[in-house]
Amino acid sequence: MPSPVESNIRRQLLFLAAAGLFCILAIAGWSTLRETIGRVAGDFLYPYLLLSRLGADRLSDQTLLVFSRRELAEQLELQRNENRRLAAQSAAAAELLVENDQLRQQLKLSPPPSWHYVNAEIILRDPRFWNERLTVDRGSLDGITPGAAVLTTTADGGVILVGVVTRVTKRSAEVITVFNPELRISAALPLSNAVGIVNPGERLARAGEVDIGFLPVERNYIVEEVLQTTGFERQIPPGIKIGNLASSQQVDSLFSSELYLRGTFVPAVDLNSIRFVVIADRADHLQETEP
């Protein structure tokens, strides 16, 4: 007959074996259990989620009943006037487009380039160059070519420049941002009627800022002035916001031999808050690269 100590050890071994078997079964069936729980929870909660949506719709419908017929008629008339105004603007824009095409034909100018846009998701960021490089999930199979502009939008719908595509594979593309010293593009300052070069050479800017150089001397540069793309780069659309001027070199043109000035600007893009971008490329450039 086993002693009490041996019986206790045997019970502990049986308990450990049962616990181990339970863990193995739990791990093996976790994926199936998770899917089942998800389906059951979804089916169970759906009526309650639908109920809140129906309640919100009913509340919005009841809100309309609060207004009198006169108030509803006034709101309807205001909406009709707004629709008429938008229709007139659309018709005027269409007329200007036709007139522009006619003038270009008369002057024998080439039509403005059309652009090919592709949505892409950022899939890789290098921790060492977090603000300078990124990789997206679109490549040559999607019509992406080196030199294409990479864009994003602000909360109010404005378009801003992220960077430029440098290297393309079939299913991915590498992008250098405006923070990267390898990116050299022209930038226009409309208020100062000047054009400079982003990342002209030796870096002098502080953290969070980027250098701009080759600015004309006889200009009055304004802090917070917007920098835009010029369109000189064939694959970058003109008029895209790059950033805001932070500082500019101050010299006396009467007693200085400087031909150009340098300054710094704050890029408009917040690379810590974007996950998706839009890649823009000229349609005619895509046709040239096709075999």
Side-chain angles (χ1 to χ4, degrees), residues 84-151:
R84 295 189 190 100
R85 185 182 66 83
L86 294 176
Q89 288 183 352
S90 178
E95 292 178 0
L96 291 176
L97 184 60
V98 173
E99 181 181 353
N100 183 55
D101 292 339
Q102 292 175 352
L103 290 175
R104 284 181 174 274
Q105 292 176 3
Q106 294 174 4
L107 295 174
K108 297 182 179 180
L109 295 177
S110 59
S114 58
W115 296 89
H116 172 70
Y117 299 98
V118 176
N119 294 322
E121 182 179 3
I122 300 174
I123 57 175
L124 182 63
R125 300 281 290 271
D126 190 336
R128 298 176 300 170
F129 307 101
W130 185 261
N131 286 336
E132 297 182 6
R133 296 181 182 273
L134 53 91
T135 303
V136 297
D137 63 346
R138 301 290 186 178
S140 58
L141 294 179
D142 304 289
I144 306 303
T145 59
V150 181
L151 315 173

Side-chain angles (χ1 to χ4, degrees), residues 24 34 37 59 62 99 171 184 190 203 253 255 284:
I24 293 173
R34 182 176 58 180
I37 292 175
L59 180 61
Q62 291 294 328
E99 181 181 353
R171 295 178 176 84
R184 289 184 174 88
R203 302 189 70 175
S253 59
F255 302 98
D284 56 353

Side-chain angles (χ1 to χ4, degrees), residues 23-102:
C23 292
I24 293 173
L25 292 176
I27 294 173
W30 167 244
S31 59
T32 303
L33 182 63
R34 182 176 58 180
E35 183 179 357
T36 303
I37 292 175
R39 291 180 178 178
V40 172
D43 293 339
F44 176 77
L45 295 176
Y46 177 77
Y48 299 97
L49 298 176
L50 181 62
L51 183 62
S52 63
R53 180 178 177 182
L54 293 176
D57 293 342
R58 184 172 180 82
L59 180 61
S60 62
D61 293 339
Q62 291 294 328
T63 304
L64 294 176
L65 301 178
V66 176
F67 296 98
S68 64
R69 292 182 179 180
R70 181 177 179 180
E71 291 173 335
L72 289 175
E74 292 176 352
Q75 294 294 329
L76 180 60
E77 186 62 27
L78 290 175
Q79 187 63 46
R80 287 177 176 174
N81 292 334
E82 180 68 14
N83 291 341
R84 295 189 190 100
R85 185 182 66 83
L86 294 176
Q89 288 183 352
S90 178
E95 292 178 0
L96 291 176
L97 184 60
V98 173
E99 181 181 353
N100 183 55
D101 292 339
Q102 292 175 352

Side-chain angles (χ1 to χ4, degrees), residues 124 149 190 214 220 243 268 280:
L124 182 63
F214 299 100
N220 294 320

